Amino acid sequence: QVQLVESGGGLVQAGGSLRLSCAASGRSFSNYGVAWFRQAPGKEREFVASMSPSGGSVYYADSVKGRFTISRDNAKNTVYLQMNSLIPEDTAVYYCTASRFRSIPPVAGGGDYWGQGTQVTVSS
């Protein structure tokens, strides 16, 4: 299993950028599919982006396509979410999640392991 810790959130103006990191602690991180989800207060958790264990397959929610990029560095046991052209609707707590040996589907359930989240606030 793995433990996940997100960082990099903060306050940014609309149109700005942030880079989120998810540091993983555990063995065989390269065998884990990873994903980012987000949740705004009073709203349902929603899928943002995912990457297969190999890194060869990625998937983005329609709301972030062309603006967000998910990546990973297995040597550093870290997953990233580069967020550009941010809009107020991106405001949420962002969570990373992971599952061993499989990609994480773009549904609400997410993966088997979760981080504590990092707050992203986009002002108008």
Side-chain angles (χ1 to χ4, degrees):
Q1 66 176 23
V2 298
Q3 294 177 319
L4 307 171
V5 180
E6 301 93 338
S7 63
L11 175 65
V12 64
Q13 289 270 303
S17 298
L18 284 174
R19 183 179 175 87
L20 306 184
S21 298
C22 175
S25 178
R27 290 182 288 274
S28 302
F29 180 66
S30 63
N31 292 328
Y32 287 77
V34 294
W36 289 92
F37 285 71
R38 65 187 183 186
Q39 187 169 28
K43 297 183 179 179
E44 186 176 293
R45 181 178 62 195
E46 66 172 334
F47 173 85
V48 176
S50 66
M51 176 172 282
S52 64
S54 69
S57 298
V58 298
Y59 187 87
Y60 297 97
D62 289 341
S63 59
V64 306
K65 283 181 180 176
R67 300 189 298 119
F68 290 11
T69 303
I70 186 172
S71 62
R72 67 191 297 165
D73 186 340
N74 290 329
K76 292 183 168 64
N77 275 19
T78 303
V79 183
Y80 303 99
L81 185 68
Q82 178 66 48
M83 306 186 295
N84 299 325
S85 301
L86 285 161
I87 58 177
E89 289 76 14
D90 295 321
T91 295
V93 176
Y94 283 70
Y95 300 90
C96 62
T97 182
S99 293
R100 193 181 184 192
F101 297 134
R102 71 179 185 91
S103 297
I104 297 169
V107 297
D112 298 321
Y113 306 99
W114 292 86
Q116 292 297 114
T118 185
Q119 176 72 49
V120 172
T121 303
V122 184
S123 62
S124 301

